[in-house]
């Protein structure tokens, strides 16, 4: 037997991607997968791409998960805290939801509503000091999808003093899987195809997370729904803190030893298809010739580095494994 892992919320898109990654992980044994309305269904009936994964989804209860060494929580926001509280302290937990990301209770109430469940170790290994913090934790809060795409583009510039922390502007397009698997009229194929539409303009819930993790003080964030199943392309602009700033050089130095973050060759710009199916983030940066603002473009797979892949990267660290174990660096093309 290897390391026993379980997935709560396994019927969703992020849960299904976790199951796929776990199936290919050399050290993990999947011992339980739970769901709500899909409980009692074989995994392959819910996720046809996982044919041969011989497991039936059970009800999402602590007892179904308590025998695992590590549990992934891929639940809707606001549902993780109660379930995690029912698990033994000896069980390591990675939460893909937002319940434990924010340190500021007032920010949680403002953007999510309800009581704040308290902050766990933030699950972005590429931030300074976070690999060590994650490795020493039994409870880790994985990032939001838009958040990781933006933070990886922005945080090194602010940490190096190359960019001002005010007047950060982000426009990011995401595939429809970022909205979850629940049936919603605005996500129907007929509504999405051939269309780009902004949503939650000026009030997206990832704003406080981005500010908390990157050091930004003011942030204008516009998310855009794009007619594709998965992927995020984020364009991040900010004011340089001085003259002669080379944002690409700052990013290249910050991520020189990061196995999943790739600063692309000069003149090559990220695109979402190149990250499909991977845990990688592709970055490129320049200085706007007219305004002088710094521009960083970031591409990720929202179900990979933005969700399941990031969570597995954290789990590897928590369990003393190389962080790359079982995770693809390269995307799937075409």
């Amino acid at each position: 037997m290897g390391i026993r892992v379980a997935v709560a919320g396994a019927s969703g898109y992020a849960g299904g991607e976790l199951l796929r990654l776990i199936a290919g992980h050399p050290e993990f044994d999947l011992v339980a997968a739970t769901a709500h309305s899909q409980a009692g269904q074989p995994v392959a009936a819910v996720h046809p791409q996982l044919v041969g994964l011989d497991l039936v989804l059970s009800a999402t209860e602590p007892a179904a998960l308590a025998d695992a060494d590590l549990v992934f929580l891929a639940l809707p926001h606001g549902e993780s805290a109660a379930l995690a509280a029912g698990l033994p302290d000896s069980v390591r937990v990675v939460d893909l939801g937002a319940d434990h990301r924010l340190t500021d209770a007032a920010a949680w109430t403002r953007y999510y509503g309800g009581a704040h469940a308290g902050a766990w170790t933030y699950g972005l290994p590429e931030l300074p000091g976070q690999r060590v913090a994650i490795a020493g934790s039994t409870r880790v809060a994985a990032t939001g999808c838009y958040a990781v795409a933006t933070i990886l583009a922005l945080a090194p510039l602010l940490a190096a003093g190359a960019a001002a922390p005010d007047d950060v502007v982000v426009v990011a397009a995401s595939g429809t899987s970022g909205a979850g698997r629940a049936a919603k009229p605005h996500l129907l194929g007929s509504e999405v195809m051939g269309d780009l539409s902004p949503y939650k303009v000026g009030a997206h819930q990832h704003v406080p997370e981005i500010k908390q993790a990157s050091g930004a003080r003011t942030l204008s964030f516009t998310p855009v729904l794009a007619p594709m199943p998965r992927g995020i392309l984020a364009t991040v602009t900010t004011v340089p803190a001085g003259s002669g700033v080379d944002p690409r050089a700052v990013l290249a130095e910050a991520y020189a030893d990061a196995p999943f973050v790739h600063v692309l060759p000069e003149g090559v710009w990220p695109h979402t298809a190149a990250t499909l199916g991977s845990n990688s983030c592709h970055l490129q940066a320049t200085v706007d010739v007219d305004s002088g603002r710094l521009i960083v473009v970031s591409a990720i797979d929202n179900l990979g580095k933005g969700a399941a892949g990031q969570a597995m990267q954290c789990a590897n660290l928590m369990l003393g494994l190389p962080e790359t174990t079982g995770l693809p660096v390269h995307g799937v093309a075409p």
Side-chain angles (χ1 to χ4, degrees):
M1 291 290 290
I3 298 168
R4 295 165 59 86
V5 300
V7 178
S11 61
Y13 289 134
E17 186 72 351
L18 273 170
L19 296 179
R20 183 182 75 87
L21 293 174
I22 291 167
H25 195 288
E27 304 292 339
F28 287 175
D29 286 330
L30 180 66
V31 296
T34 77
H36 290 300
S37 62
Q38 299 283 4
Q41 293 291 317
V43 165
V46 179
H47 298 292
Q49 74 275 22
L50 301 178
V51 63
L53 189 57
D54 187 18
L55 195 69
V56 174
L57 296 170
S58 57
T60 302
E61 299 171 350
L65 307 164
D67 288 337
D69 300 310
L70 183 141
V71 174
F72 295 100
L73 303 180
L75 301 171
H77 301 318
E79 295 187 14
S80 296
L83 184 61
L87 295 174
D89 292 340
S90 59
V91 177
R92 293 174 172 86
V93 181
V94 181
D95 183 12
L96 281 73
D99 293 32
H100 302 284
R101 293 173 189 160
L102 300 182
T103 58
D104 184 346
W108 169 267
T109 301
R110 181 181 182 188
Y111 282 89
Y112 292 95
H116 183 231
W120 290 356
T121 300
Y122 190 62
L124 184 50
E126 289 80 10
L127 290 175
Q130 285 306 105
R131 281 187 178 86
V132 173
I134 293 165
S137 298
T138 60
R139 298 288 189 273
V140 169
T143 64
C145 54
Y146 280 124
V148 65
T150 302
I151 293 162
L152 290 175
L154 178 62
L157 299 178
L158 298 181
D166 297 300
D167 193 22
V168 178
V169 178
V170 181
V171 178
S174 174
T176 56
S177 62
R181 200 172 186 179
K184 301 171 184 175
H186 73 283
L187 297 178
L188 292 171
S190 296
E191 302 292 335
V192 173
M193 289 186 295
D195 188 38
L196 290 170
S197 57
Y199 64 99
K200 294 186 179 178
V201 178
H204 195 275
Q205 66 270 18
H206 287 176
V207 167
E209 179 185 350
I210 295 168
K211 292 171 66 177
Q212 173 182 292
S214 70
R217 281 198 298 254
T218 60
L219 174 69
S220 174
F221 179 67
T222 303
V224 177
L225 183 66
M228 57 186 184
R230 53 202 285 175
I232 287 178
L233 189 75
T235 300
V236 181
T237 75
T238 189
V239 178
S243 60
V245 173
D246 182 350
R248 185 181 176 279
V250 173
L251 295 173
E253 181 178 356
Y255 297 125
D257 298 320
F260 294 115
V261 183
H262 309 280
V263 180
L264 300 181
E266 193 80 45
V268 178
W269 289 91
H271 53 107
T272 57
T275 65
L276 179 67
S278 79
N279 193 50
S280 290
C281 174
H282 292 183
L283 298 171
Q284 186 58 275
T286 192
V287 179
D288 189 293
V289 296
D290 183 67
S291 68
R293 291 178 69 91
L294 308 182
I295 303 174
V296 184
V297 176
S298 170
I300 64 168
D301 182 334
N302 62 291
L303 295 180
K305 187 63 172 165
Q310 181 91 298
M312 181 172 281
Q313 186 180 353
C314 291
N316 284 335
L317 290 167
M318 296 166 74
L319 295 164
L321 302 171
E323 65 185 283
T324 56
T325 307
L327 285 169
V329 175
H330 303 116
V332 178

